């Protein structure tokens, strides 16, 4: 007979986890969708430009999704515009959406000629945001971020 309550509790929990196997830790999970909702120019000078990117995270899962941080790279027409990180923490509700803003700082001096041509001709600009999102969750510690699309210069806020 086992006399230690701690040992008894440990054996009981070990038995319960062994009945469920890895299913406790490996629940079915669908990656959320991250989309670009808006781009806004904050400030610009010769050496640095600041933009606010508004992203929307759609959570198709039946449980809350905690977002703990993000690393990203932003490309315009395959030119790397910016790289950065954010540690803004928030939760996306189950079957819900949440918006969040990131401030992107860049020095577009080396791409200025190409960007001026795009703006002058009001040509659509292809964009891509690559990176990863940290959740802090055991079953999905890191989510891939691959968002791409086309921006119409007429729709941008300057």
């Amino acid at each position: 007979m086992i006399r230690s309550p701690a040992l008894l509790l440990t054996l009981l929990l070990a038995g319960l986890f062994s009945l469920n196997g890895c299913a406790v830790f490996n629940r079915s999970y669908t990656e959320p969708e991250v989309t670009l909702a808006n781009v806004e120019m904050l400030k610009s000078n010769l050496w640095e430009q600041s933009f606010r990117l508004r992203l929307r995270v759609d959570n198709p899962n039946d449980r809350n999704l905690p977002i703990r941080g993000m690393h990203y790279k932003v490309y315009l027409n395959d030119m790397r515009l910016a790289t950065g990180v954010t540690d803004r923490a928030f939760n996306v509700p189950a079957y819900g959406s949440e918006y969040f803003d990131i401030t992107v700082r860049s020095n577009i001096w080396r791409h200025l000629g190409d960007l001026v041509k795009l703006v002058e001709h009001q040509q659509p600009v292809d964009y891509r945001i690559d990176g990863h999102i940290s959740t802090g969750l055991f079953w999905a510690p890191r989510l891939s971020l691959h968002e791409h699309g086309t921006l119409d210069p007429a729709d941008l806020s300057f």
Side-chain angles (χ1 to χ4, degrees):
M1 175 156 233
I2 299 175
R3 298 201 188 265
S4 169
L7 181 59
L8 180 62
L9 182 61
T10 302
L11 289 174
L12 182 61
L13 287 175
L16 287 174
F17 282 127
S18 68
L19 289 175
N20 289 326
C22 292
V24 171
F25 299 111
N26 193 13
R27 298 171 66 184
S28 64
Y29 181 78
T30 304
E31 277 203 13
E33 244 185 82
V34 180
T35 54
L36 182 65
N38 193 24
V39 177
E40 180 182 357
M41 174 76 111
L42 298 177
K43 70 175 189 168
S44 177
N45 62 40
L46 184 60
W47 303 113
E48 185 177 81
Q49 300 75 41
S50 296
F51 301 89
R52 179 178 298 132
L53 303 182
R54 175 157 262 216
L55 300 172
R56 186 183 74 228
V57 180
D58 296 323
N59 181 8
N61 297 288
D62 63 354
R63 54 199 171 276
N64 287 344
L65 172 67
I67 302 292
R68 297 297 170 248
M70 184 170 113
H71 174 265
Y72 57 87
K73 293 178 184 176
V74 179
Y75 297 86
L76 293 179
N77 284 352
D78 291 325
M79 295 179 291
R80 189 169 78 194
L81 177 68
T83 301
V85 295
T86 181
D87 63 354
R88 180 171 172 247
F90 61 96
N91 289 310
V92 183
Y95 301 118
S97 299
E98 190 68 39
Y99 289 90
F100 72 101
D101 296 333
I102 56 174
T103 300
V104 175
R105 290 176 180 77
S106 177
N107 182 341
I108 57 175
W109 185 252
R110 65 184 176 270
H111 304 297
L112 192 57
D114 295 329
L115 293 173
V116 166
K117 289 177 190 174
L118 293 172
V119 172
E120 283 178 349
H121 297 108
Q122 291 291 301
Q123 295 175 331
V125 178
D126 293 328
Y127 72 88
R128 187 174 84 238
I129 304 171
D130 291 332
H132 64 267
I133 297 172
S134 297
T135 63
L137 297 175
F138 181 74
W139 71 89
R142 225 180 204 189
L143 303 173
S144 296
L145 174 61
H146 300 290
E147 164 62 3
H148 59 88
T150 303
L151 299 171
D152 184 351
D155 294 339
L156 299 177
S157 305
F158 290 102

